[in-house]
Amino acid sequence: MIFLRQMPNFRVWKRTANASWSQAVSLSTWTAAHVGHCSVMTTYQEFIQQNEGRDGVRFSWNLWPSSRLEATRLVVPVSCLFTPLKERPDLPPVQYEPVLCSRANCKAVLNPLCQVDFRAKIWACNFCFQRNPFPPSYAGISEVNQPAELMPQFSTIEYIVQRGPTAPLIFLYVVDTCLEEEDLQALKESLQMSLSLLPPNALVGLITFGRMVQVHELSCEGIAKSYVFRGTKDLSSKQIQEMLGLTKPAASGQQGRPLAPQDAAASCRFLQPVQKVDMNLTDLLGELQSDPWPVPQGKRPLRSTGVALSVAVGLLEGTFPNTGARVMLFIGGPPTQGPGMVVGDELKTPIRSWHDIQKDNARHLKKATKYYEAMANRSAVNGHSIDIYACALDQTGLLEMKCLSNLTGGHIVMGDSFNTSLFKQTFQRVFSKDNNGDFRMAFGGVLEVKTTRELKVCGAIGPCVSLNSKGSCVSENEMGIGGTSQWKVCSINPSTTLGFYFEVVNQHNAPVPQGGRGAIQFVTQYQHSNTQRRIRVTTIARNWADAQSQIQHIESSFDQEAAAVLMARLGVFRAESEEGPDVLRWLDRQLIRLCQKFGQFNKDDPTSFRLSESLSLYPQFMFHLRRSPFLQVFNNSPDESSYYRHHFVRQDLTQSLIMIQPILYSYSFYGPPEPVLLDSSSILPDRILLMDTFFQLVIYHGETIAQWRKAGYQDMAEHEVFKLLLQAPLDDAQEILQTRFPMPRYIDTEHGGSQARFLLSKVNPSQTHNNLYAWGQETGAPILTDDVSLQVFMDHLKKLAVSSSA
Amino acid sequence: MNVNQHTPMASPYGQPQPGYTQPGYAPLDGGYPAPYAPYNGPASPYQPGAPPQGISGPARGPPTTGPPPISAPQQYNQYSHSQGDMQNGPPPMTQAQPRPPVSQPYNPGAMNMSGPHPTYPQHYGPPPTMQQVSNQMSGMQITSGPPTPAGPGYAPPHSSQPPVSTAYSAAPPPSYTQAPPPVSSAPTQPPPSGPAASQQYYGSPPPPSQQPFNSSLPPTSQQQFTSSSVPPPPSQQTLPPSSYSGPAPPAGQPPAPPVSQPQQSFPPSQPPFSSAPPPTSQPAFAPGPPPTAPGSFPPRAPPPSSQPGSYPPPTSAPSCQYPGPLPPQQQPPPSQPFPYHSGPPPPRAQMPPTSMAQSNHLPPGPQGPPGPPGPLQQPPSQPGMQTGYPPQQNGAFGQVRGPQPGYAGPYPGQPNYGAPAPAPAPAPPAQKRLDPDAIPSPQASDMPAVQKSRHRIDPDAIPSPIQVIEDDKAKSTEPFTTGVRGQAPPLVTTNFQVKDQGNASPRFVRCTAYNMPCTADMAKQSQVPLAAVVKPLATLPPDETPPYLVDHGEGGPIRCNRCKAYMCPYMQFIEGGRRFQCGFCSCVTEVPPHYFQHLDHTGKRVDCYDRPELSLGSYEFLATVDYCKNNKLPQPPAFIFLIDVSYNAVKSGMVSIVCQELKTLMDYLPRENPEMDSIVRVGFVTYNKVLHFYNVKSSLAQPQMLVVSDVSDMFVPLLDGFLVNVNESRLVIESLLDQIPEMFADTRETETVFGPVIQAGLEALKAADCAGKLFVFHTSLPIAEAPGKLKNREDKKLIGTDKEKSLFQPQVGFYNTLAKECVAQGCCVDLFLFPNQYVDVATLGVVPVSTGGSVYKYTYFQAQSDQERFLNDLRRDVQKPVGFDAVMRVRTSTGIRATDFFGSFFMSNTTDVELAGLDCDKAITVEFKHDDKLSEETGALMQCAVLYTSCSGQRRLRIHNMAVNCCSQLADLYRNCETDTIINFFSKYAFRGVLNNPTKAVRDTLVNQCAQILACYRKNCASPSSAGQLILPECMKLLPVYLNCVLKSDVLLPGADVSLDDRAYLRQLISCMDVTETHVFFYPRLLPLMKLESGSLPVAVRDSEERLSKGGVYLLETGLHLFLWVGASVQQELLLNIFGTPSFGQIDSSMTSLPVLDNPFSQRLREIIDSFRAQRSRYMKLMVVKQEDRAELIFRHFLVEDKSVSGGASYVDFLCHMHKEIRQLLS
């Protein structure tokens, strides 16, 4: 519950949390009929919540099988979701630096799990068992006078590093000018507005592009000056710097020399402190014309996104390597020329669809993807992140460009137009501040994982890139981005969550002593938005359990929500490189194996199949995951798929779960709003439904409600109650809208409305046109689909799980 | 003109050009304008006297800057180290450095002698030489060819010698008189008069003058000579023998014997001076001038004193002029005979070879041998030369610049004129001879003249351009009507009105021959080039109507079906008007119904006179969309200004001047209707190593600058807002132009690009899909990394070698390709260069030259002194009418065809001349060759059609028709030639030739062809006469003098300090000049300014130092340069009138414009200068040259009848040479 208190928007969180619980409840009742009841391990749930609240960690298993063999048999790997910068207003950072294990290849940070000899002033590293003397400053240490990092409640602690340069944040706007006048105007206003949100000492830069790419010089007076690059020519970083006259790059943070803002400003005419060029830039943005080159009939405007990015990356690379920087790319269409081109300028050639991709018919796909990947990697190396704000009715090439954000921790925002509140609010929210008045963003994060010797790390899935740091705790078995114990996360915000996958390497014949604990330490170094360098250290430990004898315990330590998300991340990660059906098959296989492992059943008797409560919701998550846009590309454009996946692999557990299985509330005259099953049977004429899929917020008015509304009852004094009913979901939706990033698409629809499809496509098609009459009309709305319903899915699952041949 | 001073500036950057510094001129404040730089070189020419170089070089190269004041003396030293002695004498004067060298060799000897002589006089004395020459040359005669009015013109020549006195004085036009006068003056009048004297001389004393020249001639002169000393006779004797032994002529003279001497004589040449000559000369002058002479010889003690005494002011000056060497020569004479002095003295030294030397020698004979070896050597060659032409070969051409040598040589030739034979009396006969063909000159009657002639060629006796010009003026009083086929128009120097009656006005088309030979054989035999100089968009005087615009409707202009010739007066309508027969190919074409018209009884269409295309030589058709690129009517053209903003450009002030000026120029963009706003759009770019484009869209509050650094792959960063309408964007443009100089005020960028700059303009025009013009303001060699990057390849060592031609060729092929692209887009490039050092004009000029653009060059540009010239050029260049995207095609009668084209254009095939831009100053020379026979009846027709886009964006065809006669007799051909046009052709031909041939070969070719032309005439047309006689066709009698000017041009015969850039610049410049411009360029106009009358210009004088009076002021213009030469002893009143200062010394020679004084003289003079400037396509900066000032060297370069420091022959020498060549051909 701590966690609940901490959350600023606790109502929402409460709701979502409630939602999952209520689902659990309702599902358990739902499944109870089939599976039967298991005792509820409330203790574990509390434990899990506590840990999440304190450390931002959710493990799939909270007891770890003590041998490799047992671990593999558990199907779901030992893994966790980790939110490195989880907001901890109650955790003031300490003003000193961490004490490190002196072993060269360990360097673990002193933590509460370490054994300390207060007399000898020695501590033993719990990862490598190295005995280390305390540094002189710890001379006064004693059992009653312990430093924070030794206290159990500080399993997560944050250090402020005093040395090293502090560089101002950098925001480089890369703006597409091939926009409709209205769109451009809106975008210009948003950009101008954003200037007031930036920290005054932050450096800003502006690059605009269309057919050409212009880098605007901000320091000039009188005449507006910009450097122009041809949109079709790929230039090396060095060429770009030469052409911009930056052959003497500014002192970089790497060189360890403090970089005074003034110096930086002088060295780079293109990046200037906001406070200095505020007016200039506002004017400049105000005068921004939409791309003046004529667009012939039947052509797309020529948009040199690739070169523009290349210039942006090259510019930052040359001037501020290893400094926190955000490249913010605003596009209103796909790149149509030059390197990174996604589609030709002929309108008659549509932009690639999944169909084209599957037929290997997307001409530019590979080349463009490769181009943007290379750029993303360059950018990541320098610690710069790239945001993409794509607003267009058609696709804009996110599929090809997604890696820019995925690898650098940047945002992707997709909308229909810059002139929508979706974009405006979302963009504004990028600059939101926390309670301390600091931006909710951090830069140049390096996340390192250390494990005790029984564990090795297989990889991570999230907005990061590998730093290729091989160490003793790196597994050869890669899952996600593996082969390293360090990852770079160029931009981190409080909700950025990575999935880490581990491998138990302890051999079966070398059992862990009873009561032994495995430990994992996450060391996150980053640049805080106030330009401080900080290190956050999270050390967690879990008990080892012998799968042979303690399988019940292990089962009850299963965090099905975390497991679902972690498995989903694996699936999504695979989907990036594998065919959709293969991924589904793999997921199904894992699910079946899990059910086989933990289900209670009689062979070949599906009806006898039971799952314990700790796993009871898992199949349902998998069912919805299979239907989700993360794995299903049908009805989604490649851009949308990329967009959804992008957010899925970076949001925290709660949000991820919502994405997998949207939440549905029902509003009626019959009682207070209640969460209901995400099922077609919940769609009733006299209800108002509010569905949150994370990406969309749908308010659906049932048939009767819709008619009433149309008749105008809400305006009649005597029907004020109706008015209140109508208002209730709107108010609730507003709350969600105001806190979520990116802002969801808000849809207000009704029975029979075209937008109702958003709802209909999500609910479990328990009633379809096939079985409609069997169920009777009163009970819900039929869905016109051939998709299998949860019922069918479960039936098959049970059958397969109990099958002796499986 | 820049001053050396600039050089210093240059240095900072890197290198002062060696050339400049070395010469030692650098030091002089007066710095030479880059172009002239070469002249500085004179030192080199003098080199023979190596001393000069050494001297100059070491001494003061660098220090220079301050020099002006001090310079005189010191410089002297430097220059004339040898002169050391001299100093005393010349102290006052500084100028003559150049000469010194020459003289030096002689000095030794000379010096000694000097005292005595007034060698000068000798020169004068030359008269003797003359005689000799005459003897030798006696054979030569210059006769005007075909009879014609020319007669009178000719007169002069004749007169010159024998008749001189009489003829001139009496009838001869002023010009003539003038010439003689000087001479006379010397003798007769006391030198004292000096300054003012000049005028007087001209006026009165003619007779005497002659005398001096021809020793024999007038009694007076003779007396002088004789009295003075024996020398004269000896000289005569010797001379003839020496070089011109050949010509028995010596007849009269005993000298014959000397013949043998010649060889000896040469060497002795010097001695002669010392020994005999001096005495002689002195004596001669004795009467008046003698004193001066002595004075002049600074070497000797006396000189100083003498000088002052005798010619106080003048002397000094003169001496200066010929600092070292000359002194001996005794410029003393200078005062009066300026010409003489100057010329002769130096020449002698070098010249000795030729006649002069000889003459002098003779006397020395005895002493002679010892003579200065240097000169002597040359003489040896002479032997060979004897033919009579020797002078040239010998150093004459090369070294000596002074008139003397020239005279000597030439004179010999003259005798011919004067008299066939040496005999004193010969004169009359000579005249007769002359007459036969052309000239029934008054001179003939003059007996005395005859006598003169014998002695040596009298410059006055050879064909005088001035005379010809004046004669033509006199006879062209009626408007010239073009209706008569084969009629040669008045000369370009004549003001006349034209009435178009069916052929194009000579302002549009001039032909070399108005009577073409019928057959290829004839043409080949005569070697007369058949060419036309077409200036399609020439500006007409206000009293002539511009071509009418004809609209034939949607079908476009009516054309011949086969050859596609446009409807013109040569089309013959037949079958009652239903068809017409093409005059060019004879094909019959149907007349379209809408064009049908009945014929009258003569077969003419009834509407003949209503339709310009049926009755006029020049008119325009409105073109239809079929005549447009891509079948789209053209967009309005655009002007793009591309301004170099590198360090040099900013520092020199160029950037701010340009920006400032553009603000006002925006209102003067070309338009057809003066009341409308121009539709030409404008765009701006600045650049150094990168390019900055400017968005000046009217909706912007401030201009925007777009920097393009990617010069390797140029593109245009914006479209909308780059090319704008001036009126709409005026405020933004002005703001931009205000800011540009500020923005780059502190620039440190010194590197520039060039190729990408043009590419940028080109791309901009492409993007806007229009034609247009780029104005590029550029300063330096483009060495920044970019396409078209160049390296400095100026290598003096290559000059004179077979590799020299490579220096004229573009360094890289890039610009050729670029030019081609520009032409395809209709992108014309005008280049304004402001170099401080080598910029490789040969390469940078490729694009302008190929696109019909112009190159302007302002070396060592300095805002203060060059601003005016630049701005006037810029204004004119921006404002002048221009057509774009032009294609010119010349169609001709069957039988001949246009085979070669010269000018600023590009040709992608053999018939179409493509001009991205064509303005009113551009001329194209077209050469025709026979491919079949022509008939005398139909004559030869040509139609020049130029398809272009007018500055109002209208697509038009301008048609010029020209019909000339055809002849089967060579004599007809020679009777209807136009020498000016021939020279235009020759110069373009030769200047293009240097691209592929060694310059020497090119020069030889020219000389050969010219000789063949004249020989052919002699052989086939002239009445029989002695082989030794030089007979020239009347129409071509100036061919030798003009040709010599071409040969001496910097391109073909560079002085040591003529920079490669200057040569390339001139070469390109000439290629698009019309006849008027080439004429004045090669033979500058030299006006005496002693008396000015409103309404008429004073009669010009010939371009020879001899014609300058020390007491006078002269104006010389070449179309590129404008000099005001001030004699050293000019009258105070004149100075007051012109400069407002009473003293010669206070004249500020750095002034570029005359003070505005409220007196009629000043007003008139400024009027004249203004009118000259108005006549030329480029603004001429006024340079004030004080006699004996250092800058005079530059000025002298334009005295083209004299020897040039770079080795060019004097007129007389060349004539002799030509005669020799002709004789060789004949024999």
Side-chain angles (χ1 to χ4, degrees), chain A residues 212 224-226 228 230 243, chain B residues 702 705-707 709 712-713 716:
Chain A
M212 308 285 169
K225 212 167 163 183
S226 60
V228 188
R230 170 174 239 161
M243 290 179 182
Chain B
Q702 279 286 343
M705 175 201 244
L706 301 167
V707 184
S709 319
S712 63
D713 190 7
V716 185

Side-chain angles (χ1 to χ4, degrees), chain A residues 507-630:
Chain A
Q507 291 305 317
H508 189 57
N509 50 14
V512 176
Q514 190 67 25
R517 302 169 91 191
I520 296 175
Q521 189 171 59
F522 297 97
V523 180
T524 312
Q525 308 180 48
Y526 68 99
Q527 180 186 348
H528 192 263
S529 59
N530 65 8
T531 74
Q532 282 172 342
R533 302 270 341 158
R534 292 191 180 186
I535 298 174
R536 184 183 278 216
V537 179
T538 297
T539 314
I540 49 102
R542 292 293 185 272
N543 289 323
W544 294 111
D546 178 15
Q548 302 280 335
S549 56
Q550 298 173 295
I551 188 70
Q552 291 296 333
H553 291 287
I554 293 178
E555 184 180 352
S556 55
S557 78
F558 184 65
D559 181 343
Q560 52 188 345
E561 292 177 337
V565 173
L566 284 161
M567 288 306 281
R569 283 204 183 195
L570 276 178
V572 168
F573 187 81
R574 280 176 178 249
E576 292 288 311
S577 52
E578 291 177 28
E579 296 279 321
D582 293 344
V583 178
L584 290 183
R585 218 168 290 131
W586 174 81
L587 266 185
D588 290 346
R589 187 82 219 134
Q590 301 301 309
L591 176 60
I592 293 166
R593 283 180 55 206
L594 187 73
C595 290
Q596 283 174 333
K597 173 79 180 170
F598 293 103
Q600 294 171 357
F601 54 87
N602 300 325
K603 281 216 159 157
D604 294 327
D605 179 7
T607 57
S608 65
F609 186 82
R610 297 285 185 281
L611 270 179
S612 70
E613 189 169 344
S614 62
L615 285 99
S616 59
L617 297 177
Y618 189 78
Q620 189 184 2
F621 288 140
M622 288 300 115
F623 167 77
H624 285 291
L625 176 64
R626 290 177 98 261
R627 288 168 50 93
S628 74
F630 310 113

Side-chain angles (χ1 to χ4, degrees), chain A residues 212 214 221-230 233 235 243-244 284 287 289 292-294, chain B residues 695 697 701-707 709-710 712-720 739 743:
Chain A
M212 308 285 169
Q214 295 187 33
E221 292 173 5
I223 209 164
K225 212 167 163 183
S226 60
Y227 283 66
V228 188
F229 294 82
R230 170 174 239 161
K233 193 171 172 186
L235 296 165
M243 290 179 182
L244 289 175
L284 192 59
E287 286 209 334
Q289 307 169 305
W293 296 86
Chain B
N695 183 348
K697 196 173 176 177
Q702 279 286 343
Q704 292 176 350
M705 175 201 244
L706 301 167
V707 184
S709 319
D710 187 5
S712 63
D713 190 7
M714 205 57 219
F715 63 97
V716 185
L718 78 172
L719 182 60
D720 187 29
Q739 288 190 50
M743 272 192 295

Side-chain angles (χ1 to χ4, degrees), chain A residues 150-172:
Chain A
L150 287 182
M151 299 181 189
Q153 66 267 40
F154 288 104
S155 57
T156 291
I157 189 168
E158 188 152 298
Y159 301 87
I160 296 178
V161 180
Q162 304 291 359
R163 27 178 193 89
T166 59
L169 303 185
I170 299 167
F171 296 86
L172 180 54

